[in-house]
Amino acid sequence: MNELQRHDGILSLLDEKRVINVAHIIENFDVSPATARRDIAKLDELGKLKKVRNGAERIEIKRKAWSPLNIDTTDHYHEKSRIAVKAAALCQPGDSVVINCGSTAFLLGQELCQQDVQIVTNYFPLASYLINEDHEDVIIIGGQYNKAQNIFLNPSPNSLGGYAGHWMFTSGKGLTENGLYKADMLTAVSEQQMVEQIDKLVVVVDSSKIGNRTGMLFCPADKIDILITGKDANPEVIAAIRSNGTEVLLV
């Protein structure tokens, strides 16, 4: 791991813990105490964290709502980026990939852009990005544009019957051993139309969502083929999810 990767990891650790000490850096990145202190000092000089006695604390910045133009301001950005990289690695040339809405979905779309995969989405920011970047194979699922969610919704129950995919990547507001929860009913119903059309359902959520039960149950845990989340996710919940037969990838 080079210095840039280590600094990114330290900032990601701060996103999750808010305050860390030198021992945290030594343990997580296998470096000497002197290197850990130099990393803190350098990141402090760059204004990316606040140096405190024997450690560092996160600089609290009032974040704007994320958009494709400021994606790096989204909460848990570093962890979501790692999740997106791991998710993209699952896809093979020629695969058809369904990507739903959200910041992690957008990061995944960025990773897959220009690769030999077909991307199916109803998420307007992602579709716009892929088109602007000249991604060769994009399918936009049509319907009425919902400005609040930045997605297209089609009320017809058979509107997605003609589409199929090797992978479907989706997220949510919470994930427990019972399943994946989504806060917005319209979005959930729209995505549920696709679940039966795909080979593998992959849930991509940052570790802060693990153990949260928020909104409506989108699908039970035993319907989830793969979960990709952060390594700091609640281990008891992760173990319960694995017991349902879900493959869990921690990043």
Side-chain angles (χ1 to χ4, degrees):
M1 178 183 292
N2 61 34
E3 182 183 81
L4 184 62
Q5 291 171 324
R6 192 170 64 252
H7 285 182
D8 183 74
I10 291 169
L11 293 174
S12 180
L13 195 62
L14 267 178
D15 277 346
E16 298 154 15
K17 296 183 178 295
R18 297 180 179 271
V19 178
I20 61 174
N21 56 35
V22 170
H24 284 130
I25 298 175
I26 295 171
E27 179 182 353
N28 281 273
F29 304 102
D30 193 26
V31 295
S32 68
T35 298
R37 291 189 178 94
R38 281 197 300 271
D39 286 341
I40 290 173
K42 187 166 185 178
L43 289 168
D44 178 72
E45 291 175 4
L46 294 171
K48 294 186 176 182
L49 54 73
K50 182 180 179 182
K51 183 180 177 182
V52 298
R53 182 177 176 82
N54 200 39
E57 64 181 28
R58 187 174 72 181
I59 296 176
E60 298 293 341
I61 301 173
K62 187 175 182 181
R63 297 176 182 270
K64 299 178 180 178
W66 80 271
S67 76
L69 298 178
N70 68 350
I71 184 66
D72 60 339
T73 69
T74 186
D75 289 333
H76 308 287
Y77 167 74
H78 301 285
E79 184 180 311
K80 290 178 179 179
S81 294
R82 296 195 301 272
I83 291 170
V85 170
K86 179 65 82 173
L90 295 174
C91 304
Q92 300 297 314
D95 280 355
S96 180
V97 180
V98 179
I99 303 179
N100 295 313
C101 64
S103 53
T104 306
F106 187 85
L107 289 166
L108 173 57
Q110 285 185 315
E111 288 294 325
L112 291 175
C113 187
Q114 303 297 343
Q115 294 190 33
D116 180 22
V117 295
Q118 179 184 80
I119 298 178
V120 182
T121 187
N122 66 344
Y123 190 37
F124 182 66
L126 176 57
S128 296
Y129 173 85
L130 294 170
I131 292 168
N132 288 334
E133 294 296 318
D134 293 324
H135 185 74
E136 192 166 305
D137 197 349
V138 183
I139 293 178
I140 302 173
I141 301 171
Q144 181 177 349
Y145 179 62
N146 182 293
K147 184 177 181 181
Q149 297 295 327
N150 279 315
I151 60 174
F152 293 99
L153 296 171
N154 194 320
S156 171
N158 297 316
S159 62
L160 303 177
Y163 296 102
H166 298 94
W167 304 95
M168 178 174 170
F169 295 92
T170 192
S171 188
K173 291 296 183 181
L175 179 67
T176 72
E177 62 272 22
N178 294 321
L180 178 66
Y181 291 84
K182 291 180 179 285
D184 188 270
M185 185 176 296
L186 286 176
T187 302
V189 171
S190 175
E191 292 181 18
Q192 282 175 334
Q193 296 180 41
M194 281 297 297
V195 171
E196 300 303 322
Q197 310 296 326
I198 49 91
D199 295 333
K200 296 284 186 179
L201 177 63
V202 184
V203 171
V204 287
V205 292
D206 66 76
S207 56
S208 71
K209 307 293 197 310
I210 304 299
N212 290 348
R213 182 178 176 180
T214 305
M216 67 171 286
L217 182 65
F218 171 74
C219 70
D222 60 6
K223 295 294 185 183
I224 300 170
D225 294 292
I226 301 173
L227 164 65
I228 308 177
T229 188
K231 61 184 179 181
D232 291 325
N234 185 313
E236 294 181 0
V237 178
I238 291 298
I241 292 171
R242 280 186 166 131
S243 71
N244 287 320
T246 300
E247 179 182 357
V248 179
L249 304 177
L250 301 178
V251 298

